[in-house]
């Protein structure tokens, strides 16, 4: 681990739990056990730090996508991977909330695309939408956005995820598949 990593790891956890606006260099320095001047030595300024933090998220999203790709099914394997990577998903939620900021938006889109590509094949199989890939992709985007809005640190459990997947399955059964083009 290099000397920048503790700063990124601590900030990543802070953002995942409390949001992008909660990064304070002085309190971050205390948590890392270093000085503010070390922060500026490593990153130069807060914009460079944000860029490094977003790069860190994209790297973690790539690792998450690899874990998802290795899953044989949505339930229980992929749900367990989500739980094991709760911090990454909660960080992703925070940049989704702040996506009016161009850097947050770009990071969100790049990271989401990596995970979406890993999920998609299992998603269409689980929902029985193999013959409706365009609908399945659009539906996944809506569900992913809704998922990020609904999850919290406290409700992010296996039972909640399983119930959420059941709700999605129920919605699919209510759609008249003959009207999907």
């Amino acid at each position: 681990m290099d000397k920048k990593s503790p700063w990124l790891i601590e900030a990543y956890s802070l953002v995942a739990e409390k949001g992008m606006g909660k990064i304070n260099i002085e309190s971050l320095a205390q948590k890392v056990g270093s000085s503010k001047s070390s922060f500026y030595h490593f990153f130069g300024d807060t914009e460079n730090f944000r860029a490094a933090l977003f790069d860190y998220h994209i790297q973690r999203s790539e690792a998450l996508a690899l874990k998802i790709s290795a899953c044989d099914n949505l339930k229980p394997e992929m749900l367990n991977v989500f739980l094991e990577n709760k911090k990454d998903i909660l960080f992703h939620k925070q940049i989704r909330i702040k996506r009016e900021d161009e850097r947050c938006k770009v990071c969100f889109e790049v990271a989401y695309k990596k995970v979406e590509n890993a999920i998609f094949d299992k998603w269409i199989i689980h929902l029985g939408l193999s013959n409706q890939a365009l609908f399945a992709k659009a539906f996944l985007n809506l569900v992913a956005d809704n998922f990020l809005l609904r999850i919290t640190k406290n409700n992010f459990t296996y039972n909640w995820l399983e119930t959420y997947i059941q709700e999605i399955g129920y919605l699919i059964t209510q759609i008249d598949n003959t009207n999907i083009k």
Side-chain angles (χ1 to χ4, degrees):
M1 181 171 3
D2 68 12
K3 293 184 179 194
K4 290 181 180 182
S5 294
W7 293 91
L8 296 170
I9 292 167
E10 191 61 46
Y12 196 77
S13 294
L14 183 64
V15 169
E17 190 172 326
K18 299 188 180 204
M20 288 299 295
K22 299 301 179 184
I23 297 175
N24 175 294
I25 296 164
E26 190 168 328
S27 63
L28 196 56
Q30 289 175 349
K31 289 183 183 224
V32 171
S34 193
S35 65
K36 283 174 53 175
S37 61
S38 292
F39 172 87
Y40 291 106
H41 171 73
F42 293 136
F43 300 103
D45 60 28
T46 55
E47 280 308 305
N48 287 337
F49 180 69
R50 280 175 40 119
L53 190 60
F54 292 153
D55 287 344
Y56 181 70
H57 179 59
I58 290 169
Q59 290 170 3
R60 292 191 56 98
S61 296
E62 289 169 350
L64 174 59
L66 287 173
K67 291 176 188 176
I68 289 169
S69 293
C71 293
D72 290 326
N73 52 52
L74 191 70
K75 261 178 31 181
E77 285 182 86
M78 195 180 306
L79 296 186
N80 286 324
V81 168
F82 280 15
L83 289 171
E84 293 164 8
N85 294 272
K86 184 177 184 177
K87 187 184 307 179
D88 301 303
I89 294 169
L90 291 172
F91 183 93
H92 197 70
K93 171 185 176 143
Q94 296 301 331
I95 61 172
R96 190 285 181 207
I97 290 168
K98 293 289 188 182
R99 68 181 174 188
E100 73 278 354
D101 174 302
E102 187 62 25
R103 290 186 113 170
C104 287
K105 179 183 175 188
V106 168
C107 180
F108 174 83
E109 290 172 354
V110 169
Y112 175 74
K113 189 54 103 181
K114 291 176 184 308
V115 173
E116 176 194 46
N117 289 338
I119 290 173
F120 189 67
D121 290 341
K122 292 154 193 82
W123 169 259
I124 61 175
I125 290 167
H126 180 80
L127 294 177
L129 297 173
S130 296
N131 296 332
Q132 298 157 337
L134 291 176
F135 171 76
K137 186 161 237 155
F139 191 60
L140 176 58
N141 288 325
L142 288 172
V143 167
D145 210 38
N146 179 264
F147 169 77
L148 291 172
L149 293 172
R150 290 177 62 183
I151 60 167
T152 66
K153 178 182 166 190
N154 295 330
N155 74 4
F156 202 156
T157 64
Y158 188 89
N159 287 338
W160 186 88
L161 289 169
E162 188 172 43
T163 300
Y164 190 70
I165 294 296
Q166 288 170 347
E167 287 176 23
I168 293 164
Y170 176 76
L171 286 173
I172 291 297
T173 64
Q174 299 304 305
I175 295 172
D176 178 6
N177 289 332
T178 60
N179 290 329
I180 300 171
K181 307 239 185 282

